[in-house]
Amino acid sequence: MTERRPTSLETELDRSVLERLPPALRDINDRLARVFTAAGHELYLVGGVVRDLLLGRPVTDLDYTTSAHPEETKRLGQEAGADSLYTVGEAFGTIGLVFAGVTVEITTYRTEWYPTADRRPSVRFGESLLEDLARRDFTVNAMAVHAVTGDLVDPFGGLRDLERRLIRAVGDPRERFGEDPLRMLRAARFAAQLGFDVEAETRAAMRELAAELQRVSVERIAMELNRLLIAPEPDRGLELLRETGLLAFVLPELVPLAEDVTDRRHKDIWRHTLQVVRQSPPRLAVRWAALLHDAAKPMTRTIDEHGEVHFFGHEVKGAELARKALRRLRQEKALTERVARLVELHLRPAAYDETWTDSAVRRLMVEAGDLLEDLLDLVAADVTSARAWRRREARERMERLRAHIRRLEEEAALAQIKSPLDGNELMAIFGLPPGRWIAEVKNYLRDLVIEGQLAPGDKETARLLAERWVAEHPEVIAAARERPGRR
């Protein structure tokens, strides 16, 4: 038998994986390891935290699996100094602990099976770590690290798959996806988060069992889609959904876009959409709007007598489609409305040029309201031309619009800054009639407020400063006494 050569990740494991934990998490681990070991129980870091430690990704929470049952875990967690605990997942063997704001979840070894069509698992507490790891979805999530020694337990080749940047199901992928079809969507989400490919047999099983997703609740599907969209490579995950046929069961509204036959008269809208999603900032509303901004183009496409393709009104139809899709997924109402408005408005800023007056820009600002920053980021991302000069022109146009908006905002802010003393107060202080002198004194005091030398509501200091200014400008007062006028 040929000896397997270690991967580069394996050669890096010349020190305990535990040493990769941040100091605060290492301290929590050591406290838990000490009390669980003293009580005669096994305790292992497990799942995503192990994967992320090996990849050098940030870790902020801890997940463990243990031979201890929930009641014992609660007792030992308190003994280790947990500030509080929660038992929401106790029926499935999970106890949550909080240490100085750090969340720790500890789950008893278990096995699962799914006897009903709604995919609710039945759980039996297990007897061994291997039994627990065998129930997990993908090999990169089926590794464990001993909480005391730091030894890595990797029965399914997860470390090698990390090295190859592969998402591969534990065991038979058809069995894993048959147990819980949501795992197929999780494969796409992990591909987007980690930048990994999905192994061929796992991908084939996703394509074969795609329709099984119909048995999963829309709430669970929506949660996975949200995580996928804000991942570093959302386009990778979305393309995987299209290739495997999952898209038809999670976002059927996008199928016409994904299947749209491209001709030379317009760009590939699906590829364009993926690029816009990738280029947009990872804020959920912006990413959803990027995904849906052109979704209505297939239903609004027309060709004129010159053979030119148009998509008149696709932003309005797209807003309707966005509402329909997000409501079907039971997303929060605020998110749904935000995304729909972004889709509806996404063409407006792109039309900006030097002919826009201040009033036109103000109208856009008012219509967008608190969506303005998201809208500008969406429009900036919605430029995918292969021609560098077009990308440059679009970028410069958006920079000019942002500068125009900043100028108007600064002017509006300045307009709201006033002298602490009004005209009536100044006339009472100096015993003078109305006149130009009031504007001069108020402007002097207003400038001091702008410069931060006078608080907006500090009337007493303003009075002293006004008296000093008047003393230094006797000609203004003399003119006021000689030629009283109106304010």
Side-chain angles (χ1 to χ4, degrees):
M1 180 176 171
T2 303
E3 183 178 353
R4 182 174 68 82
R5 296 177 61 186
T7 69
S8 60
L9 278 175
E10 287 173 320
T11 60
E12 293 174 6
L13 293 179
D14 54 350
R15 61 190 179 95
S16 167
V17 179
L18 296 178
E19 292 181 23
R20 303 182 181 209
L21 284 170
L25 301 190
R26 180 69 187 273
D27 176 66
I28 295 170
N29 176 82
D30 291 347
R31 288 154 64 185
L32 288 168
R34 184 168 56 252
V35 298
F36 273 76
T37 300
H41 290 295
E42 297 175 351
L43 184 69
Y44 288 87
L45 279 170
V46 71
V49 64
V50 175
R51 178 197 69 223
D52 289 342
L53 284 173
L54 291 170
L55 289 174
R57 288 161 56 90
V59 172
T60 57
D61 300 320
L62 298 173
D63 289 314
Y64 293 90
T65 187
T66 181
S67 58
H69 282 209
E71 282 300 323
E72 183 74 350
T73 295
K74 286 189 282 187
R75 184 183 70 79
L76 294 173
Q78 291 173 324
E79 185 178 331
D83 301 320
S84 61
L85 62 85
Y86 56 90
T87 59
V88 174
E90 186 170 5
F92 299 103
T94 300
I95 298 299
L97 306 171
V98 179
F99 293 81
V102 175
T103 300
V104 177
E105 290 193 347
I106 304 178
T107 303
T108 304
Y109 295 156
R110 70 189 192 192
T111 58
E112 298 173 355
W113 67 99
Y114 300 79
T116 60
D118 63 6
R119 320 318 298 161
R120 294 180 183 274
S122 293
V123 174
R124 175 179 64 81
F125 293 150
E127 301 296 329
S128 70
L129 173 65
L130 183 60
E131 186 179 24
D132 183 89
L133 295 179
R135 71 176 175 82
R136 296 176 181 266
D137 51 9
F138 306 109
T139 60
V140 296
N141 297 330
M143 295 179 285
V145 169
H146 196 282
V148 176
T149 66
D151 291 340
L152 178 69
V153 180
D154 180 21
F156 303 106
L159 194 63
R160 178 163 287 270
D161 284 338
L162 282 184
E163 180 74 20
R164 296 187 297 176
R165 302 180 66 81
L166 277 182
I167 303 297
R168 180 165 59 91
V170 172
D172 184 345
R174 289 160 187 81
E175 289 184 12
R176 296 292 80 74
F177 297 151
E179 291 166 350
D180 185 359
L182 189 70
R183 287 170 170 170
M184 294 184 285
L185 193 51
R186 282 167 59 83
R189 190 249 293 182
F190 284 127
Q193 286 182 332
L194 303 174
F196 284 15
D197 291 325
V198 175
E199 178 266 339
E201 188 177 354
T202 302
R203 182 188 292 257
M206 292 168 66
R207 188 176 297 110
E208 179 182 327
L209 300 176
E212 292 294 302
L213 269 174
Q214 295 174 99
R215 296 196 285 176
V216 178
S217 71
V218 293
E219 290 87 353
R220 296 179 73 206
I221 289 172
M223 186 178 297
E224 287 299 327
L225 288 174
N226 288 348
R227 291 170 175 170
L228 186 158
L229 279 176
I230 60 173
E233 298 186 33
D235 50 324
R236 181 188 291 268
L238 291 166
E239 177 61 11
L240 184 63
L241 296 183
R242 185 195 68 81
E243 291 176 353
T244 57
L246 294 176
L247 192 66
F249 300 101
V250 296
L251 280 171
E253 296 84 1
L254 285 178
V255 170
L257 186 70
E259 294 179 347
D260 191 40
V261 178
T262 303
D263 60 35
R264 295 182 180 179
R265 290 172 291 194
H266 67 84
K267 60 193 171 189
D268 183 327
I269 306 173
W270 174 249
R271 299 295 169 189
H272 164 76
T273 296
L274 294 186
Q275 192 172 344
V276 176
V277 175
R278 174 71 176 264
Q279 292 177 175
S280 61
R283 300 195 295 273
L284 189 58
V286 182
R287 285 277 171 91
W288 268 113
L291 180 61
L292 297 169
H293 78 287
D294 280 347
K297 277 190 171 181
M299 67 179 72
T300 58
R301 178 167 49 192
T302 58
I303 302 175
D304 65 21
E305 64 274 15
H306 304 294
E308 294 293 325
V309 179
H310 302 282
F311 305 97
F312 296 122
H314 80 273
E315 71 281 10
V316 177
K317 290 287 186 183
E320 296 172 2
L321 185 148
R323 287 190 180 91
K324 174 184 174 184
L326 297 180
R327 286 170 180 167
R328 180 182 55 76
L329 290 168
R330 298 178 189 171
Q331 297 277 18
E332 292 183 358
K333 183 177 180 180
L335 175 65
T336 299
E337 287 306 309
R338 192 172 189 88
V339 171
R341 282 291 288 159
L342 287 170
V343 172
E344 186 174 7
L345 293 172
H346 80 273
L347 294 182
R348 290 282 305 283
Y352 176 80
D353 61 26
E354 64 279 358
T355 67
W356 278 40
T357 62
D358 286 356
S359 62
V361 177
R362 287 194 193 96
R363 190 174 298 111
L364 173 65
M365 294 167 67
V366 170
E367 287 187 28
D370 68 350
L371 298 176
L372 186 60
E373 193 62 31
D374 282 352
L375 179 62
L376 296 179
D377 285 341
L378 172 62
V379 175
D382 191 18
V383 180
T384 61
S385 173
R387 295 179 175 85
W389 65 269
R390 285 190 175 176
R391 296 196 303 273
R392 184 177 62 254
E393 281 189 352
R395 182 174 61 253
E396 291 172 352
R397 182 168 60 251
M398 292 308 302
E399 288 173 356
R400 289 194 298 272
L401 174 57
R402 289 181 188 273
H404 199 153
I405 290 170
R406 283 196 300 272
R407 176 173 65 79
L408 294 178
E409 288 175 336
E410 290 168 0
E411 290 175 358
L414 287 173
Q416 294 176 8
I417 297 176
K418 298 179 180 179
S419 162
L421 300 174
D422 62 23
N424 291 327
E425 290 169 318
L426 288 171
M427 286 188 292
I429 291 171
F430 295 104
L432 292 173
R436 177 63 190 168
W437 72 274
I438 293 176
E440 293 190 46
V441 176
K442 286 172 63 177
N443 286 341
Y444 165 70
L445 295 175
R446 177 175 174 271
D447 288 343
L448 293 178
V449 173
I450 292 172
E451 293 169 7
Q453 299 178 32
L454 175 62
D458 189 351
K459 291 182 180 292
E460 181 58 29
T461 302
R463 183 183 65 79
L464 296 173
L465 291 170
E467 289 174 345
R468 186 178 71 183
W469 186 90
V470 166
E472 293 173 353
H473 297 82
E475 71 283 359
V476 174
I477 302 305
R481 290 195 174 105
E482 292 173 5
R483 297 188 299 275
R486 294 182 178 179
R487 279 181 293 153

